[in-house]
Amino acid sequence: MNSSISRVVVLDQHLPEALPVQRVEVRRITIDPHTALGAHVHNGPVFGNIVSGSAVYQQAEDAEPQVLHPGDVFYEPAVERIARFDTEDEGVTFLAYFPLTAGQDATLDLV
């Protein structure tokens, strides 16, 4: 075993039901400083990791907001309302991973 390699599980998210994934779309998303994306819903699960900057993330209205920084990961469940994903002074860049079923395109709807 090579001692110069470290493998750490940072997220092990179980999905509420089996998902027949045909492809995974990965997007690099950049949001400008002081942008309040606000409440939104995705049509499928989204996994992400912060590359630079930070964002205030709140999954549900009654959940505690958390500030995500570079290296942090997050999960947004399919068709559940996400309360916040807002930037502050520095904006944010993150990679978002969209597991998609046959013929599905990833969507985001503001609510």
Side-chain angles (χ1 to χ4, degrees):
M1 178 63 84
N2 188 333
S3 62
S4 65
I5 298 173
S6 172
R7 292 179 176 86
V8 177
V9 175
V10 294
L11 177 66
D12 183 5
Q13 181 66 52
H14 292 268
L15 299 175
E17 59 186 42
L19 183 64
V21 174
Q22 182 185 42
R23 64 191 179 98
V24 176
E25 184 176 280
V26 181
R27 297 179 185 177
R28 179 183 306 274
I29 299 172
T30 300
I31 303 174
D32 288 337
H34 304 289
T35 300
L37 179 60
H40 63 280
V41 174
H42 292 278
N43 65 333
V46 180
F47 297 86
N49 66 296
I50 305 297
V51 174
S52 65
S54 64
V56 178
Y57 175 65
Q58 184 177 2
Q59 196 170 72
E61 288 294 331
D62 60 351
E64 188 70 27
Q66 57 183 320
V67 179
L68 301 175
H69 298 281
D72 289 341
V73 297
F74 61 93
Y75 164 67
E76 296 186 354
V79 301
E80 287 189 23
R81 186 176 190 267
I82 304 303
R84 293 176 69 185
F85 197 94
D86 304 337
T87 64
E88 296 179 320
D89 292 340
E90 56 190 341
V92 70
T93 296
F94 62 97
L95 296 176
Y97 303 83
F98 300 86
L100 301 167
T101 60
Q104 182 184 26
D105 291 317
T107 64
L108 177 146
D109 295 308
L110 299 177
V111 292

XYZ file of all heavy atoms in Angstrom:
857
model
N 0.851 -1.180 0.000
C 0.000 0.000 0.000
C 0.889 1.233 0.000
O 1.819 1.334 0.790
C -0.925 -0.043 1.219
C -1.839 1.157 1.371
S -3.034 1.436 0.073
C -4.362 0.385 0.524
N 0.600 2.184 -0.846
C 1.366 3.414 -0.950
C 0.948 4.369 0.168
O -0.206 4.752 0.268
C 1.113 4.040 -2.317
C 2.007 5.225 -2.581
O 2.455 5.888 -1.658
N 2.235 5.496 -3.842
N 1.889 4.771 1.020
C 1.574 5.632 2.157
C 1.385 7.093 1.751
O 1.010 7.905 2.570
C 2.652 5.518 3.232
O 3.885 5.956 2.698
N 1.640 7.446 0.491
C 1.458 8.823 0.043
C 0.040 9.083 -0.471
O -0.245 10.159 -0.958
C 2.485 9.178 -1.030
O 2.253 8.383 -2.184
N -0.830 8.096 -0.361
C -2.221 8.236 -0.797
C -3.134 8.152 0.415
O -3.020 7.248 1.232
C -2.597 7.137 -1.808
C -1.742 7.245 -3.071
C -4.076 7.228 -2.166
C -1.943 6.109 -4.041
N -4.038 9.108 0.507
C -5.023 9.113 1.582
C -6.410 9.076 0.964
O -6.693 9.808 0.017
C -4.870 10.385 2.418
O -5.923 10.490 3.348
N -7.264 8.211 1.471
C -8.641 8.112 0.984
C -9.577 8.308 2.171
O -9.557 7.519 3.106
C -8.892 6.764 0.330
C -8.136 6.580 -0.972
C -8.394 5.199 -1.566
N -7.753 5.036 -2.843
C -6.500 4.633 -3.029
N -5.740 4.347 -1.990
N -5.992 4.511 -4.237
N -10.371 9.369 2.117
C -11.281 9.705 3.199
C -12.677 9.880 2.621
O -12.870 10.638 1.665
C -10.841 11.015 3.904
C -11.822 11.400 4.986
C -9.433 10.881 4.462
N -13.643 9.189 3.163
C -15.028 9.370 2.740
C -15.525 10.680 3.341
O -15.515 10.854 4.557
C -15.914 8.189 3.202
C -17.368 8.454 2.871
C -15.435 6.897 2.579
N -15.939 11.622 2.498
C -16.438 12.908 2.989
C -17.953 13.016 2.904
O -18.552 13.894 3.505
C -15.771 14.104 2.275
C -14.287 14.167 2.602
C -15.985 14.042 0.782
N -18.574 12.126 2.154
C -20.031 12.072 2.070
C -20.433 10.683 1.621
O -19.902 10.161 0.638
C -20.571 13.107 1.077
C -22.071 13.124 0.832
C -22.818 13.552 2.098
C -22.424 14.066 -0.309
N -21.345 10.063 2.354
C -21.897 8.762 2.001
C -23.412 8.917 2.090
O -24.014 8.689 3.125
C -21.391 7.685 2.950
C -21.873 6.295 2.577
O -22.526 6.137 1.518
O -21.610 5.355 3.345
N -24.006 9.393 1.014
C -25.417 9.768 1.013
C -26.285 8.658 0.422
O -26.106 8.278 -0.719
C -25.605 11.050 0.185
C -27.016 11.537 0.130
C -27.507 11.982 1.490
O -26.868 12.785 2.149
N -28.635 11.460 1.906
N -27.202 8.147 1.221
C -28.169 7.184 0.723
C -29.318 7.935 0.074
O -29.781 8.955 0.601
C -28.691 6.295 1.861
C -27.632 5.382 2.388
N -27.437 4.110 1.905
C -26.682 5.572 3.331
C -26.425 3.559 2.536
N -25.944 4.430 3.411
N -29.775 7.453 -1.063
C -30.905 8.072 -1.753
C -32.200 7.429 -1.268
O -32.209 6.252 -0.889
C -30.751 7.913 -3.263
C -29.492 8.560 -3.852
C -29.382 8.244 -5.335
C -29.486 10.054 -3.614
N -33.309 8.180 -1.280
C -34.564 7.642 -0.758
C -35.123 6.480 -1.581
O -35.932 5.704 -1.086
C -35.511 8.834 -0.776
C -34.898 9.823 -1.695
C -33.423 9.554 -1.702
N -34.676 6.370 -2.822
C -35.115 5.248 -3.669
C -34.046 4.972 -4.710
O -33.181 5.817 -4.966
C -36.453 5.571 -4.342
C -36.419 6.803 -5.219
C -37.794 7.168 -5.759
O -38.774 7.100 -5.007
O -37.862 7.513 -6.941
N -34.120 3.796 -5.292
C -33.156 3.430 -6.329
C -33.294 4.379 -7.515
O -34.397 4.777 -7.880
C -33.387 1.991 -6.780
N -32.185 4.757 -8.098
C -32.175 5.687 -9.226
C -31.449 5.022 -10.392
O -30.247 4.749 -10.295
C -31.459 6.980 -8.818
C -31.406 8.103 -9.827
C -32.814 8.624 -10.129
C -30.545 9.234 -9.294
N -32.166 4.756 -11.486
C -31.513 4.108 -12.645
C -30.685 5.135 -13.431
O -31.123 5.668 -14.437
C -32.696 3.583 -13.461
C -33.827 4.522 -13.128
C -33.590 4.955 -11.704
N -29.494 5.403 -12.956
C -28.646 6.435 -13.540
C -28.069 5.957 -14.867
O -27.481 4.883 -14.946
C -27.504 6.807 -12.566
C -26.531 7.780 -13.217
C -28.080 7.384 -11.289
N -28.255 6.787 -15.896
C -27.677 6.487 -17.196
C -26.405 7.299 -17.428
O -25.487 6.854 -18.091
C -28.670 6.792 -18.316
C -28.115 6.444 -19.693
C -29.040 6.845 -20.809
O -29.613 7.923 -20.773
N -29.185 5.970 -21.781
N -26.373 8.491 -16.847
C -25.200 9.346 -16.998
C -25.121 10.304 -15.815
O -26.098 10.493 -15.094
C -25.242 10.135 -18.310
C -26.396 11.114 -18.396
C -26.556 11.681 -19.820
N -27.683 12.597 -19.883
C -27.597 13.910 -19.801
N -26.427 14.490 -19.671
N -28.671 14.667 -19.867
N -23.944 10.892 -15.623
C -23.739 11.899 -14.593
C -23.184 13.138 -15.281
O -22.157 13.071 -15.958
C -22.769 11.422 -13.496
C -22.503 12.541 -12.494
C -23.314 10.190 -12.791
N -23.895 14.246 -15.126
C -23.446 15.522 -15.679
C -22.741 16.289 -14.564
O -23.278 16.419 -13.463
C -24.650 16.309 -16.191
C -24.285 17.612 -16.873
C -25.507 18.296 -17.434
O -25.966 17.905 -18.527
O -26.020 19.206 -16.753
N -21.546 16.793 -14.860
C -20.783 17.566 -13.885
C -20.665 18.992 -14.421
O -20.229 19.188 -15.552
C -19.374 16.969 -13.657
C -18.607 17.786 -12.624
C -19.478 15.511 -13.230
N -21.068 19.955 -13.591
C -21.011 21.363 -13.991
C -20.121 22.138 -13.021
O -20.193 21.933 -11.821
C -22.399 22.000 -13.951
C -23.391 21.388 -14.906
C -24.726 22.069 -14.766
N -25.741 21.424 -15.598
C -27.002 21.795 -15.620
N -27.434 22.784 -14.849
N -27.861 21.164 -16.398
N -19.320 23.038 -13.560
C -18.600 24.011 -12.737
C -19.483 25.249 -12.717
O -19.752 25.847 -13.756
C -17.231 24.346 -13.316
C -16.468 25.393 -12.465
C -15.130 25.758 -13.097
N -14.311 24.592 -13.361
C -13.490 24.022 -12.476
N -13.382 24.520 -11.268
N -12.779 22.957 -12.805
N -19.938 25.609 -11.534
C -20.884 26.717 -11.382
C -20.226 27.814 -10.560
O -19.670 27.544 -9.493
C -22.181 26.227 -10.708
C -22.833 25.145 -11.590
C -23.134 27.389 -10.449
C -24.009 24.446 -10.951
N -20.289 29.035 -11.060
C -19.755 30.195 -10.359
C -20.890 31.171 -10.112
O -21.644 31.505 -11.034
C -18.641 30.868 -11.177
O -17.586 29.911 -11.381
C -18.079 32.088 -10.470
N -21.014 31.610 -8.863
C -22.050 32.565 -8.484
C -21.349 33.796 -7.920
O -20.487 33.685 -7.049
C -23.018 31.962 -7.446
C -23.657 30.679 -7.995
C -24.102 32.980 -7.075
C -24.516 29.934 -6.980
N -21.722 34.966 -8.426
C -21.106 36.230 -8.020
C -21.337 36.529 -6.539
O -22.293 36.024 -5.935
C -21.688 37.384 -8.844
C -21.218 37.370 -10.288
O -20.162 36.777 -10.573
O -21.923 37.957 -11.133
N -20.489 37.400 -5.970
C -20.681 37.822 -4.579
C -22.061 38.451 -4.362
O -22.629 39.038 -5.289
C -19.579 38.867 -4.367
C -18.539 38.536 -5.379
C -19.288 37.992 -6.563
N -22.557 38.292 -3.159
C -23.824 38.904 -2.720
C -25.007 38.496 -3.605
O -25.847 39.315 -3.941
C -23.690 40.424 -2.649
C -22.577 40.866 -1.775
N -22.606 40.755 -0.406
C -21.356 41.385 -2.078
C -21.473 41.202 0.097
N -20.695 41.575 -0.897
N -25.029 37.218 -3.970
C -26.144 36.690 -4.756
C -26.970 35.774 -3.880
O -26.452 34.817 -3.306
C -25.636 35.902 -5.986
O -24.866 36.773 -6.802
C -26.790 35.335 -6.789
N -28.259 36.094 -3.757
C -29.179 35.261 -2.978
C -29.982 34.423 -3.963
O -30.961 34.897 -4.536
C -30.092 36.127 -2.118
N -29.524 33.204 -4.199
C -30.243 32.309 -5.093
C -31.625 32.019 -4.521
O -32.603 31.943 -5.237
C -29.456 31.007 -5.298
C -30.089 29.957 -6.199
C -30.306 30.499 -7.597
C -29.233 28.712 -6.236
N -31.690 31.867 -3.215
C -32.970 31.649 -2.552
C -33.488 30.235 -2.710
O -32.778 29.324 -3.123
N -34.764 30.067 -2.386
C -35.392 28.747 -2.395
C -35.476 28.202 -3.819
O -35.820 28.923 -4.754
C -36.770 28.825 -1.761
N -35.164 26.912 -3.936
C -35.204 26.278 -5.251
C -35.397 24.769 -5.104
O -35.247 24.213 -4.021
C -33.938 26.586 -6.049
C -32.687 26.058 -5.439
N -32.033 26.691 -4.404
C -31.961 24.940 -5.709
C -30.954 25.996 -4.081
N -30.890 24.914 -4.842
N -35.719 24.148 -6.232
C -35.948 22.701 -6.296
C -35.258 22.164 -7.543
O -35.311 22.782 -8.603
C -37.463 22.384 -6.370
C -37.709 20.906 -6.578
C -38.177 22.881 -5.130
N -34.618 20.999 -7.407
C -34.025 20.295 -8.548
C -34.896 19.082 -8.876
O -35.507 18.494 -7.991
C -32.611 19.808 -8.214
C -31.624 20.905 -8.033
N -30.997 21.524 -9.083
C -31.146 21.502 -6.905
C -30.172 22.449 -8.624
N -30.245 22.455 -7.306
N -34.904 18.667 -10.128
C -35.698 17.504 -10.532
C -34.987 16.171 -10.277
O -35.536 15.109 -10.536
C -36.088 17.604 -12.008
C -34.907 17.542 -12.956
O -33.789 17.901 -12.594
N -35.153 17.109 -14.179
N -33.794 16.212 -9.759
C -33.043 15.015 -9.390
C -32.067 15.385 -8.299
O -31.881 16.562 -7.985
N -31.409 14.398 -7.690
C -30.447 14.707 -6.632
C -29.238 15.449 -7.197
O -28.879 15.280 -8.365
C -30.058 13.335 -6.096
C -30.311 12.396 -7.226
C -31.475 12.970 -7.985
N -28.654 16.275 -6.359
C -27.455 17.019 -6.735
C -26.421 16.842 -5.626
O -26.742 16.967 -4.446
C -27.745 18.526 -6.917
C -26.470 19.273 -7.296
C -28.838 18.752 -7.950
N -25.205 16.542 -6.029
C -24.076 16.457 -5.111
C -23.100 17.546 -5.526
O -22.923 17.789 -6.717
C -23.386 15.093 -5.206
C -24.275 13.957 -4.807
C -25.131 13.360 -5.723
C -24.268 13.485 -3.504
C -25.964 12.308 -5.351
C -25.095 12.436 -3.123
C -25.942 11.854 -4.049
N -22.485 18.207 -4.563
C -21.561 19.267 -4.927
C -20.388 19.368 -3.990
O -20.420 18.850 -2.873
N -19.328 20.021 -4.479
C -18.206 20.342 -3.617
C -17.696 21.732 -3.968
O -17.604 22.106 -5.137
C -17.104 19.272 -3.655
C -16.419 19.170 -4.976
O -17.032 18.824 -5.968
N -15.139 19.466 -5.007
N -17.396 22.480 -2.929
C -16.956 23.863 -3.076
C -15.496 23.873 -3.513
O -14.642 23.233 -2.897
C -17.123 24.637 -1.746
C -18.563 24.537 -1.231
C -16.674 26.089 -1.916
C -19.621 25.139 -2.110
N -15.221 24.623 -4.585
C -13.865 24.751 -5.114
C -13.204 26.016 -4.564
O -12.062 25.984 -4.121
C -13.885 24.787 -6.657
C -12.506 25.074 -7.228
C -14.449 23.495 -7.221
N -13.934 27.137 -4.595
C -13.397 28.389 -4.066
C -14.543 29.254 -3.568
O -15.695 29.067 -3.965
C -12.578 29.135 -5.128
O -13.412 29.533 -6.199
N -14.219 30.182 -2.688
C -15.237 31.051 -2.120
C -16.039 30.342 -1.052
O -15.585 29.369 -0.448
N -17.253 30.834 -0.829
C -18.115 30.219 0.179
C -19.574 30.510 -0.146
O -19.891 31.420 -0.916
C -17.777 30.751 1.573
O -18.034 32.129 1.652
N -20.454 29.722 0.466
C -21.895 29.905 0.287
C -22.600 29.533 1.580
O -22.172 28.622 2.289
C -22.419 29.035 -0.860
N -23.684 30.251 1.866
C -24.536 29.910 2.995
C -25.564 28.917 2.464
O -26.333 29.238 1.554
C -25.233 31.154 3.575
C -26.155 30.758 4.721
C -24.209 32.171 4.036
N -25.549 27.714 3.028
C -26.404 26.621 2.561
C -27.388 26.247 3.661
O -26.993 26.043 4.810
C -25.543 25.420 2.181
C -26.324 24.188 1.802
C -27.126 24.186 0.675
C -26.252 23.040 2.573
C -27.839 23.048 0.320
C -26.958 21.904 2.224
C -27.751 21.916 1.097
O -28.454 20.793 0.750
N -28.648 26.180 3.289
C -29.695 25.766 4.234
C -30.639 24.848 3.472
O -31.321 25.274 2.554
C -30.436 26.988 4.774
C -31.464 26.661 5.824
C -32.114 27.918 6.386
O -31.827 29.038 5.968
N -33.007 27.727 7.319
N -30.665 23.583 3.883
C -31.456 22.610 3.141
C -32.954 22.811 3.335
O -33.690 22.827 2.371
C -31.041 21.191 3.522
C -31.541 20.170 2.520
C -30.934 18.810 2.759
O -31.271 18.144 3.711
N -30.035 18.415 1.877
N -33.412 23.001 4.564
C -34.842 23.194 4.824
C -35.023 24.457 5.660
O -34.095 24.915 6.330
C -35.409 21.987 5.571
N -36.218 25.022 5.619
C -36.495 26.254 6.360
C -36.167 26.133 7.838
O -35.694 27.080 8.446
C -37.971 26.654 6.204
C -38.330 27.173 4.830
C -37.647 28.493 4.479
O -37.342 29.304 5.384
O -37.413 28.709 3.281
N -36.419 24.969 8.433
C -36.189 24.797 9.868
C -34.786 24.252 10.185
O -34.461 24.023 11.339
C -37.255 23.903 10.484
C -37.296 22.515 9.869
O -36.617 22.282 8.838
O -38.014 21.651 10.402
N -33.955 24.076 9.163
C -32.583 23.591 9.371
C -31.661 24.764 9.689
O -31.929 25.906 9.307
C -32.090 22.861 8.130
N -30.584 24.463 10.356
C -29.579 25.473 10.684
C -28.770 25.801 9.427
O -28.232 24.889 8.783
C -28.665 24.929 11.776
C -27.706 25.935 12.338
C -28.381 27.006 13.181
O -29.455 26.744 13.756
O -27.817 28.110 13.246
N -28.652 27.077 9.039
C -27.795 27.412 7.899
C -26.346 27.080 8.217
O -25.920 27.169 9.365
C -27.963 28.929 7.737
C -29.116 29.313 8.578
C -29.289 28.252 9.621
N -25.599 26.690 7.201
C -24.176 26.433 7.380
C -23.406 27.129 6.270
O -23.932 27.322 5.174
C -23.895 24.932 7.396
C -24.359 24.193 6.159
C -24.130 22.696 6.262
O -23.113 22.249 6.759
N -25.073 21.927 5.781
N -22.195 27.524 6.573
C -21.347 28.155 5.570
C -20.429 27.088 5.001
O -19.702 26.420 5.736
C -20.534 29.321 6.167
C -19.636 29.944 5.097
C -21.468 30.382 6.752
N -20.508 26.909 3.689
C -19.668 25.936 2.996
C -18.422 26.634 2.469
O -18.510 27.710 1.868
C -20.445 25.309 1.833
C -21.740 24.587 2.189
C -22.456 24.129 0.919
C -21.455 23.407 3.103
N -17.264 26.008 2.672
C -15.968 26.546 2.268
C -15.283 25.561 1.317
O -15.732 24.415 1.170
C -15.089 26.762 3.508
C -15.663 27.752 4.467
N -15.587 29.100 4.288
C -16.338 27.565 5.637
C -16.178 29.723 5.289
N -16.648 28.809 6.125
N -14.178 25.957 0.669
C -13.474 25.049 -0.234
C -13.200 23.693 0.423
O -12.764 23.621 1.572
C -12.177 25.789 -0.542
C -12.569 27.228 -0.452
C -13.537 27.276 0.720
N -13.525 22.645 -0.310
C -13.355 21.278 0.187
C -14.621 20.706 0.796
O -14.748 19.490 0.913
N -15.578 21.559 1.192
C -16.839 21.060 1.755
C -17.711 20.466 0.661
O -17.679 20.902 -0.492
C -17.608 22.187 2.453
C -16.969 22.632 3.755
O -16.159 21.865 4.312
O -17.292 23.745 4.216
N -18.493 19.462 1.027
C -19.417 18.816 0.099
C -20.845 19.015 0.592
O -21.072 19.283 1.767
C -19.109 17.305 -0.052
C -17.726 17.101 -0.648
C -19.224 16.578 1.274
N -21.791 18.899 -0.342
C -23.191 19.037 0.033
C -24.058 18.155 -0.851
O -23.635 17.697 -1.917
C -23.649 20.506 -0.036
C -23.556 21.125 -1.411
C -24.630 21.111 -2.274
C -22.374 21.730 -1.821
C -24.539 21.683 -3.541
C -22.273 22.314 -3.086
C -23.365 22.289 -3.936
N -25.274 17.930 -0.389
C -26.254 17.104 -1.093
C -27.584 17.838 -1.088
O -28.011 18.340 -0.054
C -26.385 15.754 -0.389
C -27.618 14.961 -0.763
C -27.778 14.440 -2.041
C -28.616 14.715 0.174
C -28.898 13.701 -2.377
C -29.739 13.971 -0.151
C -29.882 13.471 -1.432
O -30.983 12.748 -1.755
N -28.221 17.909 -2.246
C -29.551 18.475 -2.365
C -30.467 17.380 -2.904
O -30.285 16.907 -4.022
C -29.556 19.690 -3.288
C -28.719 20.832 -2.753
C -28.814 22.102 -3.568
O -29.445 22.104 -4.649
O -28.249 23.121 -3.125
N -31.444 16.936 -2.090
C -32.332 15.861 -2.520
C -33.213 16.273 -3.705
O -33.526 17.461 -3.865
C -33.200 15.587 -1.291
C -32.600 16.344 -0.167
C -31.735 17.402 -0.747
N -33.609 15.296 -4.481
C -34.513 15.542 -5.605
C -35.869 16.036 -5.103
O -36.362 15.561 -4.075
C -34.707 14.257 -6.409
N -36.422 16.975 -5.826
C -37.773 17.542 -5.632
C -38.077 18.001 -4.207
O -39.233 18.128 -3.839
C -38.891 16.619 -6.171
C -38.715 16.351 -7.656
C -38.982 15.306 -5.413
N -37.057 18.267 -3.415
C -37.259 18.863 -2.095
C -36.785 20.306 -2.142
O -35.757 20.618 -2.740
C -36.494 18.090 -1.015
C -37.109 16.750 -0.694
C -36.466 16.092 0.515
O -35.870 16.795 1.358
O -36.559 14.860 0.596
N -37.529 21.168 -1.499
C -37.224 22.597 -1.484
C -35.937 22.858 -0.701
O -35.825 22.480 0.461
C -38.386 23.345 -0.845
C -38.283 24.832 -0.877
C -39.579 25.421 -0.276
N -39.653 26.830 -0.474
C -39.220 27.741 0.402
N -38.669 27.339 1.537
N -39.334 29.018 0.144
N -34.974 23.500 -1.353
C -33.747 23.938 -0.704
C -33.960 25.396 -0.329
O -34.290 26.224 -1.187
C -32.528 23.786 -1.640
C -32.388 22.335 -2.136
C -31.253 24.271 -0.970
C -32.277 21.303 -1.038
N -33.799 25.742 0.946
C -34.140 27.079 1.423
C -33.158 28.158 0.950
O -33.586 29.237 0.548
C -34.230 27.080 2.951
N -31.852 27.857 0.991
C -30.850 28.878 0.635
C -29.606 28.258 0.029
O -29.173 27.195 0.442
C -30.372 29.636 1.880
C -31.344 30.486 2.568
C -30.752 31.090 3.827
N -29.720 32.085 3.515
C -28.976 32.680 4.454
N -29.124 32.384 5.717
N -28.074 33.564 4.103
N -29.045 28.982 -0.903
C -27.683 28.754 -1.381
C -27.203 30.126 -1.819
O -27.321 30.504 -2.989
C -27.631 27.738 -2.528
C -26.245 27.195 -2.762
C -25.840 26.018 -2.170
C -25.336 27.886 -3.547
C -24.554 25.517 -2.367
C -24.053 27.405 -3.750
C -23.664 26.218 -3.150
N -26.741 30.909 -0.873
C -26.457 32.329 -1.083
C -24.977 32.619 -0.865
O -24.341 32.020 0.002
C -27.275 33.179 -0.101
C -28.772 32.909 -0.192
O -29.230 32.439 -1.248
O -29.477 33.174 0.800
N -24.468 33.563 -1.642
C -23.070 33.941 -1.489
C -22.952 35.215 -0.666
O -23.904 35.983 -0.535
C -22.391 34.146 -2.852
O -23.022 35.238 -3.521
C -22.474 32.889 -3.703
N -21.757 35.419 -0.137
C -21.479 36.624 0.637
C -20.427 37.447 -0.113
O -20.559 37.641 -1.312
C -21.078 36.230 2.057
C -22.243 35.543 2.778
C -21.921 35.094 4.181
O -20.811 34.585 4.413
O -22.798 35.262 5.045
N -19.394 37.896 0.564
C -18.424 38.832 -0.022
C -17.606 38.282 -1.183
O -17.200 39.042 -2.050
C -17.463 39.340 1.062
C -18.166 40.222 2.068
O -19.261 40.741 1.751
O -17.638 40.392 3.186
N -17.337 36.964 -1.191
C -16.390 36.452 -2.182
C -17.024 35.647 -3.312
O -16.329 35.244 -4.235
C -15.323 35.619 -1.480
C -15.880 34.488 -0.652
C -14.830 33.829 0.221
O -13.634 33.987 -0.046
O -15.230 33.147 1.162
N -18.308 35.399 -3.277
C -18.902 34.534 -4.283
C -18.482 33.095 -4.060
O -17.839 32.768 -3.060
N -18.821 32.217 -5.001
C -18.485 30.802 -4.855
C -18.336 30.153 -6.227
O -18.995 30.557 -7.189
C -19.560 30.048 -4.025
C -20.869 29.907 -4.793
C -19.065 28.693 -3.562
N -17.437 29.201 -6.301
C -17.345 28.288 -7.440
C -17.408 26.885 -6.871
O -16.733 26.576 -5.888
C -16.037 28.481 -8.233
O -16.041 29.798 -8.793
C -15.915 27.468 -9.370
N -18.262 26.060 -7.473
C -18.379 24.680 -7.008
C -18.610 23.758 -8.182
O -19.004 24.189 -9.269
C -19.493 24.538 -5.960
C -20.880 24.883 -6.449
C -21.753 23.897 -6.879
C -21.320 26.199 -6.461
C -23.030 24.213 -7.311
C -22.600 26.524 -6.888
C -23.460 25.530 -7.313
N -18.309 22.486 -7.973
C -18.636 21.446 -8.938
C -19.924 20.796 -8.484
O -20.063 20.419 -7.314
C -17.523 20.401 -9.029
C -16.178 20.906 -9.546
C -15.151 19.785 -9.496
C -16.308 21.444 -10.958
N -20.891 20.683 -9.402
C -22.171 20.048 -9.109
C -22.290 18.796 -9.964
O -22.031 18.827 -11.168
C -23.326 21.006 -9.386
N -22.683 17.698 -9.321
C -22.798 16.398 -9.979
C -24.276 16.030 -10.028
O -24.924 15.919 -8.991
C -22.016 15.332 -9.203
C -20.558 15.683 -9.043
C -20.137 16.542 -8.028
C -19.610 15.168 -9.914
C -18.805 16.875 -7.880
C -18.271 15.498 -9.767
C -17.868 16.353 -8.755
O -16.547 16.688 -8.611
N -24.801 15.837 -11.236
C -26.207 15.531 -11.458
C -26.350 14.110 -12.006
O -26.097 13.883 -13.188
C -26.816 16.507 -12.472
C -26.759 17.954 -12.059
C -25.631 18.727 -12.320
C -27.832 18.541 -11.414
C -25.578 20.065 -11.944
C -27.794 19.874 -11.039
C -26.665 20.640 -11.300
N -26.729 13.121 -11.170
C -27.022 11.780 -11.688
C -28.348 11.843 -12.450
O -29.357 12.269 -11.890
C -27.151 10.910 -10.438
C -26.844 11.785 -9.266
C -26.857 13.194 -9.724
N -28.333 11.432 -13.709
C -29.512 11.587 -14.560
C -29.979 10.251 -15.119
O -29.165 9.397 -15.481
C -29.197 12.550 -15.709
C -28.769 13.962 -15.270
C -28.187 14.732 -16.440
C -29.934 14.699 -14.636
N -31.276 10.098 -15.196
C -31.865 8.900 -15.781
C -31.950 9.078 -17.300
O -31.677 10.169 -17.824
C -33.267 8.644 -15.188
O -34.105 9.763 -15.472
C -33.200 8.432 -13.687
N -32.339 8.049 -18.016
C -32.430 8.095 -19.475
C -33.358 9.230 -19.914
O -34.492 9.344 -19.441
C -32.941 6.765 -20.014
N -32.856 10.114 -20.770
C -33.657 11.203 -21.316
C -33.866 12.389 -20.386
O -34.529 13.359 -20.748
N -33.307 12.348 -19.183
C -33.514 13.431 -18.214
C -32.458 14.516 -18.384
O -31.294 14.235 -18.609
C -33.434 12.875 -16.788
C -33.673 13.906 -15.707
C -33.489 13.338 -14.302
O -32.751 12.372 -14.098
N -34.163 13.926 -13.345
N -32.887 15.775 -18.264
C -31.986 16.910 -18.191
C -32.125 17.516 -16.808
O -33.235 17.585 -16.250
C -32.332 17.963 -19.250
C -32.015 17.470 -20.656
O -30.955 16.868 -20.854
O -32.835 17.719 -21.560
N -31.028 17.979 -16.248
C -31.058 18.591 -14.912
C -31.757 19.939 -14.973
O -31.509 20.735 -15.880
C -29.635 18.761 -14.390
N -32.647 20.174 -14.007
C -33.336 21.461 -13.940
C -33.261 22.027 -12.530
O -33.079 21.307 -11.554
C -34.828 21.353 -14.328
O -35.499 20.530 -13.396
C -34.997 20.801 -15.740
N -33.400 23.347 -12.458
C -33.491 24.072 -11.202
C -34.661 25.037 -11.349
O -34.716 25.806 -12.311
C -32.206 24.865 -10.927
C -32.202 25.736 -9.670
C -30.819 25.766 -9.059
C -32.700 27.116 -9.929
N -35.599 24.963 -10.434
C -36.758 25.861 -10.438
C -36.757 26.668 -9.161
O -36.688 26.112 -8.061
C -38.066 25.058 -10.540
C -38.177 24.325 -11.864
O -38.022 24.979 -12.909
O -38.431 23.097 -11.849
N -36.838 27.999 -9.298
C -36.949 28.869 -8.140
C -38.373 28.766 -7.592
O -39.337 28.722 -8.351
C -36.606 30.303 -8.508
C -35.179 30.509 -9.024
C -34.975 31.963 -9.423
C -34.161 30.095 -7.984
N -38.484 28.715 -6.262
C -39.815 28.607 -5.631
C -39.994 29.690 -4.578
O -39.077 30.258 -4.085
C -40.060 27.222 -5.006
C -40.159 26.180 -6.110
C -38.985 26.840 -4.023
